[in-house]
Amino acid sequence: MTELPQSLAQIRDDFLELDQSDRLVLLLEFANELPELPDQFADHPDLLERVEECQAPVFIFVEVGDDGTVHLHATAPKEAPTTRGFASILVQGLSGLSADEVLDVPDDFPQTIGLTDAVSPLRMRGMNALLSRSKRQIRAKTAA
Amino acid sequence: MVIEVDSSDEFIGYAHPERLVSTGWLQEHLSSPGLVVVESDEDVLLYETGHIPGAVKVDWHTDLNDPVERDYIDGAAFAKLLGSRGITRDTTVVIYGDKNNWWAAYALWVFTLFGHADVRLLDGGRAKWEAEGRDYTTERPRPTAVDYPVVERDDSSIRAYKDDVLAHLGEPLIDVRSPEEFSGERTTAPAYPDEGALRAGHIPSAHNVPWGRAAADDGTFRRVPELDALYRGEAGLSDGDRVIAYCRIGERSAHTWFVLTHLLGFENVRNYDGSWTEWGSAVRVPIVRGSEPGEVPQRKG
């Protein structure tokens, strides 16, 4: 089994330590912490990819730096805090990892953070889609 | 009715205007004894970001559904849920939520399965309250638990099962999903993946009236002439019809059930909550593809 990167393992452990209702509070904290888009994307929404699987208009963009580190950018409306929370977990958990480390993140990571009872399966799949689309962008950008 | 009904002019013409309250009415009555405001959203975290002062949360996913059986909670669990929210059998309940009251209407329908007498929707839901700049708070109320009786859920009059729908073929059916789901182009709503089914299409003879068409841009319900044009006009319903509405898992169609029952006054409307996720995967049930309602199949002897 692949080891989770430290950042994601920490997030998972933080969730699993809490009881169900506090997990939602933590998810809300993540939602509130979703960073604003850097200016270059805010001015160019065409650079962003819509995550069609999510129930709210969510857009992502993955940057792979010259040194191979990944930075995920995401935007989601304030009226969709669950989706914002999921995006924020990935933005914070993936940023700074190497491309290979992100590609090695298990696809079922969203199912392992203790939210499947609190959030409908439909929403969990939205988070899966965020992860898989991020990986796909990385593959496309590192293939050359 | 414990609390006076909202006699706003904008509700004139609806069959049961006592099922709606306006944002202004709710603001005035927020601290009335005997009233409990319930928020029920599609996004389960929205309540936590801020809610109408005093409102309690009912989560459609974790509170109203049985965790194991694909069914609603039973009378004992419902009694526990409502009692914990400070709701007695006589309480006036006002429900509101996001997405044009989609899940709020669903919660109201479930409350109705248990025969809760006075349950109303906030016309326009969260969006209108917010657009009007009214107060939100993140302070969670801590209601004193009260006794709610254990009543047996009565599914007979407003809920349809798959066999009920099979027996109903030939009578009006309203499919409230998107045109793409109706025609069979896809099994899920645009931007709503999964909870899919093995087959795409619709129940034979169903008319397609997407649920959201019953709501105006500000999230309030459309007025009677517009609703009449949709349901009596386009979908061909007539007074006295027995109607079954369905969608994908029964939530969007609960909204249409509310419109047909409480706004237009149809007296025999059932919501098929198994909906397309069940019908589209069930063995040996007929479906139709394409954008036309299609024929009622001949019964096999």
Side-chain angles (χ1 to χ4, degrees), chain B residues 4-12 17 20 25:
Chain B
E4 57 162 314
V5 302
D6 181 350
S7 51
S8 301
D9 287 350
E10 65 249 41
F11 300 151
I12 291 173
L20 287 175
W25 183 96

Side-chain angles (χ1 to χ4, degrees), chain B residues 16-257:
Chain B
H16 297 288
E18 74 279 6
R19 291 292 179 172
L20 287 175
V21 303
S22 60
T23 48
W25 183 96
L26 185 59
Q27 183 89 61
E28 272 174 38
H29 290 80
L30 268 187
S31 49
S32 300
L35 173 85
V36 172
V37 182
V38 169
E39 175 159 344
S40 200
D41 293 316
E42 197 253 0
D43 191 306
V44 297
L45 264 186
L46 208 47
Y47 174 88
E48 280 76 9
T49 68
H51 47 264
I52 295 177
V56 295
K57 173 180 175 178
V58 168
D59 183 318
W60 66 274
H61 175 60
T62 54
D63 288 330
L64 298 178
N65 281 283
D66 184 283
V68 181
E69 196 169 330
R70 186 173 170 188
D71 200 359
Y72 300 105
I73 52 175
D74 64 13
F78 188 74
K80 194 168 161 222
L81 170 71
L82 268 64
S84 73
R85 302 297 195 271
I87 299 171
T88 70
R89 193 70 170 161
D90 298 325
T91 299
T92 296
V93 177
V94 171
I95 311 184
Y96 73 100
D98 61 352
K99 305 245 162 90
N100 298 341
N101 274 333
W102 172 0
W103 295 96
Y106 183 66
L108 183 146
W109 177 76
V110 175
F111 277 42
T112 307
L113 289 174
F114 289 97
H116 192 91
D118 189 2
V119 53
R120 316 177 190 183
L121 283 186
L122 172 65
D123 196 29
R126 229 187 121 92
K128 186 149 192 281
W129 187 269
E130 197 160 315
E132 291 169 351
R134 297 180 190 271
D135 280 351
Y136 278 128
T137 178
T138 51
E139 198 179 317
R140 271 187 110 92
R142 303 204 175 279
T144 311
V146 294
D147 278 332
Y148 194 93
V150 175
V151 285
E152 201 181 332
R153 209 181 63 224
D154 178 6
D155 293 341
S156 62
S157 56
I158 62 167
R159 184 181 186 193
Y161 294 98
K162 177 171 119 283
D163 287 346
D164 298 326
V165 180
L166 281 168
H168 182 86
L169 288 178
E171 295 186 74
L173 280 159
I174 304 289
D175 182 319
V176 314
R177 297 173 302 159
S178 63
E180 296 90 337
E181 294 165 275
F182 182 82
S183 69
E185 199 177 310
R186 53 192 303 164
T187 55
T188 64
Y192 288 73
D194 250 304
E195 286 177 10
L198 291 176
R199 294 284 183 276
H202 58 265
I203 300 177
S205 79
H207 281 269
N208 185 209
V209 185
W211 71 281
R213 293 180 67 192
D217 291 343
D218 66 354
T220 58
F221 288 105
R222 293 192 183 281
R223 308 304 307 277
V224 166
E226 296 168 303
L227 295 175
D228 269 341
L230 272 181
Y231 297 101
R232 290 198 171 89
E234 281 183 40
L237 298 184
S238 308
D239 291 340
D241 276 351
R242 294 161 18 112
V243 186
I244 291 178
Y246 72 95
C247 55
R248 182 177 45 110
I249 55 170
E251 11 68 308
R252 286 175 281 180
S253 46
H255 190 273
T256 297
W257 167 84

Side-chain angles (χ1 to χ4, degrees), chain B residues 264-296:
Chain B
L264 291 180
F266 286 90
E267 287 174 358
N268 194 333
V269 185
R270 284 178 290 171
N271 179 22
Y272 170 36
D273 59 280
S275 273
W276 195 256
T277 50
E278 179 181 47
W279 193 273
S281 294
V283 177
R284 294 196 107 181
V285 299
I287 70 165
V288 170
R289 306 194 64 166
S291 53
E292 295 301 318
E295 300 295 318
V296 174

